[in-house]
Amino acid sequence: MKQKLFELGLTEAVNLVKSGQVRLVEIVEDYLNQIDRVDKKVKAYLTCNFDAALARARQIDSKPEKGKLAGAVLAVKDNIVTRGLRTTCGSKILENFIPPYNATVIERLEAEDAIIIGKTNLDEFAMGGSTENSAFFATRNPWDLDRVPGGSSGGSAAAVAAREAAGALGSDTGGSVRQPAALCGLVGLKPTYGLVSRYGLIAFASSLDQIGTFARNVRDCALLTSIIAGFDRRDSTSADRPVPDFIANLELPLAKKRVGVLAEALLTGVNSEVAANYKAVVRNLQELGFAIERFPFPSWQYALPCYYIIAPSEASSNLARFDGVRYGFRADSRELSEMYVKTRTLGFGSEVKRRILTGTFALSSGYYDAYYARAARARQTIIREFQTAFKQVDFILTPTTPEPAFKRGEKQDPLSMYLEDYFTVTANLAGIPGLSLPSGMTLNGLPIGTQLLGPDFSELELFKLAFLLEKIFNFKNNIDGITTVREEEE
Amino acid sequence: MLGMKFDLNHLSQLANLKLTEEEKKQLPEQIEKIIDWVGQLSLLETGEEEKFAPVNFTLRLEADEPENPLPQSEVLAMAPDKEGDFIKVPKVLTGK
C-alpha cells in the first residue's frame, strides 16, 4: 500500500521533495484528502486554502532550486494575517476580513516554499484555553473527540495532531501554544519576546504576545522556528541580534546541565497523573547526570492574578480599534457613536467583552494604582526571581498544564479556565522562552506535556534538551493513538 | 451586587459596549469575582520598580521616513461602506 504522505514529519517531507523523490503536489493532495476525511470531526480549520495551495505546489515542483521548507504543509492560526485569505481572529467582528498584506512570518515561510493549507480555529481574539470560545464552532481534541484540544491555538494543535498539517503557527500570550501542544501530544514553542516578528499578528496583549510553532517532533519545531525567527524592522519590539542555527546544532552535546524544579508546594492541585509524570521526568534527568535544584519561587502563585490584570488591560486598549469604520463588521446605525457601540456589542463575544470590561476597570481612574500599577510591580518581582534562578540553573522544568485535556463544556466558570495557565503565564510575563514536549500518557490515553523554560534567547539550548529528552520519553505520537483518525480507518 | 467595586454602566460606556439583559445579569458577578481574585496580588511583596514590557535587549529605532503605503484601492476594498475615494460613516453630529 502506498505510504500516506500526510504521516511524514515536516523534515522528512522536505527532504523527499528537495531530493526529488516525491512531488509536493502529491503531498498537498494527500493532505486535502485527509482534511476532507477528518476535519468534519476535528473542526480545526476555519478557512481552507486548497486551490492556492495546489497551484503553489505545482509552481514549487517546477523550480530547480527549492527553498528550505519546500515540502512543508502548514496550518496558520487565524489571528495571523494572510494576504487575500480571510482572517477572522475567531470573531464575528472580522468574519469577512480579507487582509491586504501578509504577516512577516507568512512572508518568511512562503519565501522558503512552505505551503499554507488553511487558517485554524481559535478562542475569539486568542482569549481562552479550550477553543470553545470561537464565534464559529468549537474544535475537538483528535485524541478524544469529547475533549478540548486546549487553546487558544487549539485549531493549529488539533490540525497537526490529526495529520491535517505537518506543522503550524500559533500565538502564545499566556500559554496559548504550549497548553494546546501539551493537550494534543505535540512539541510547541513560545519564543523569547522579540525573537519572532509580530508584524501582522492581530494584537491581544502586546507586552505578552509571541508567535510560536507546533510540530510532531523537536527537529520539525526547530526547523519551523529557524525560518520565522530574526529581526524585522516592521516590528518595533523585534530583537536585532543573530539567530543561532537550531538545526545544525541540535545534536551537539548539551554543555548546560543544571535544572531547576518547582517546590512541592507549587504543585498542589495538580492532577495526580501529571504530577507523577513530572516526578518521573525529574528522575530521568537525574539519571542522565543533570543536577537538580528545587526552587521555592514565592512569586509563582501570583503570576496568574498579575497576568489577568495586565492581559485584559492591554486587550481593552488594543481592541479599541475595532469600531466598524475601516474594515470588518459594521452594524447599521444612524449616527457614528451609535455605530461604534452597536458594532462592538454585536461583533464581540462574551469572553472578549468580559476581558475588555475587566481591563477598562483596571485602567480606570481611581483603580489604576491598585491594579495595573501593582501588577507592573509584581511583574518586575517575577522577572527578578527568574533572573536569580537562572544564575543557579540553566533550565527550569514544570508540567505544562495542571491536568490533561478536559471534557468539552466542563469549564463554564471563567476563573476555572484561567487556572489552566498556571504553569505557562510566567514565561510571558518575564519574556523568556518556553517549550512544551510530550512526556507521557494518562491511563486513559491522553497526552501529558512537560514545559522547559530557559533564560532570554536560549531557544537553541531548549531545543537541544528537548531533543535529548524526546528520545528518552519515546512518546508515541503515532496515528494509531488518535481517535478520530483511527475510527475513520476502521 | 452589594459592595460592588465598579459601575458596570460606566465601564461599558468607556469601552463603547452596550450589554444585553443577559450580560447585565451575568457580568457583574463574574467580573466582581475576577477582580476579587486578582486582588490577592496585594499579598505579594514587591519593590517600587515597575515593568511594562519584558524587553531585555536594545530596541532598534528606525528613521521616520514614509514608505510605499498600501494602494488606496486595496484599503478602500476593506471598508464596510465607501463613496468615491472615501470611507463613508454615518453622520458624526446629532441633533441633540
Side-chain angles (χ1 to χ4, degrees), chain A residues 330 345 354 367 380 456, chain B residues 5 18 30 49 56 88:
Chain A
R330 177 190 289 189
T345 298
R354 204 153 38 228
Y367 297 100
Q380 180 66 336
D456 286 337
Chain B
K5 294 186 184 71
K18 194 171 172 178
Q30 287 173 342
E49 217 181 335
N56 305 314
K88 189 177 172 186

Side-chain angles (χ1 to χ4, degrees), chain A residues 176-187:
Chain A
S176 282
V177 166
R178 290 160 288 158
Q179 184 252 17
L183 270 41
C184 291
L186 302 173
V187 181

Side-chain angles (χ1 to χ4, degrees), chain A residues 457-470:
Chain A
F457 301 105
S458 63
E459 280 81 2
L460 173 58
E461 302 302 311
L462 292 181
F463 282 133
K464 282 164 76 172
L465 177 60
F467 188 72
L468 188 74
L469 291 175
E470 184 178 54

Side-chain angles (χ1 to χ4, degrees), chain A residues 38 220 311 349 423:
Chain A
V38 304
D220 290 355
F423 291 114

Side-chain angles (χ1 to χ4, degrees), chain A residues 144-181:
Chain A
D144 178 346
L145 294 171
D146 291 332
R147 292 177 190 269
V148 304
S152 65
S153 315
S156 285
V160 178
R163 273 61 177 175
E164 299 179 70
L169 297 185
S171 66
D172 189 314
T173 305
S176 282
V177 166
R178 290 160 288 158
Q179 184 252 17

Side-chain angles (χ1 to χ4, degrees), chain A residues 75-94:
Chain A
V76 173
K77 186 178 185 179
D78 209 23
N79 61 350
I80 298 172
V81 301
T82 40
R83 184 181 163 85
L85 184 61
R86 187 175 80 125
T87 301
T88 68
C89 230
S91 181
K92 288 276 176 206
I93 212 159
L94 289 176

Side-chain angles (χ1 to χ4, degrees), chain A residues 401-414:
Chain A
T401 58
E403 58 182 338
F406 47 93
K407 286 261 168 74
R408 305 174 65 223
E410 187 182 311
K411 294 189 195 295
Q412 296 293 338
D413 173 36

Side-chain angles (χ1 to χ4, degrees), chain A residues 202-277:
Chain A
I202 298 173
F204 159 13
S206 304
S207 81
L208 302 157
D209 297 339
Q210 261 292 290
I211 291 174
T213 44
F214 291 97
R216 292 196 292 266
N217 62 61
V218 175
R219 186 187 293 277
D220 290 355
C221 186
L223 175 61
L224 205 49
T225 309
S226 71
I227 304 299
I228 61 168
F231 179 69
D232 176 21
R233 52 189 297 275
R234 291 178 297 185
D235 173 0
S236 62
T237 57
S238 174
D240 187 9
R241 65 202 310 283
V243 179
D245 188 332
F246 300 140
I247 297 300
N249 293 297
L250 196 59
E251 292 181 58
L252 295 182
L254 199 62
K256 300 176 169 179
K257 292 203 141 185
R258 298 170 305 167
V259 175
V261 298
L262 296 184
E264 204 65 45
L266 293 173
L267 299 168
T268 44
V270 172
N271 167 286
S272 60
E273 286 184 274
V274 171
N277 180 260

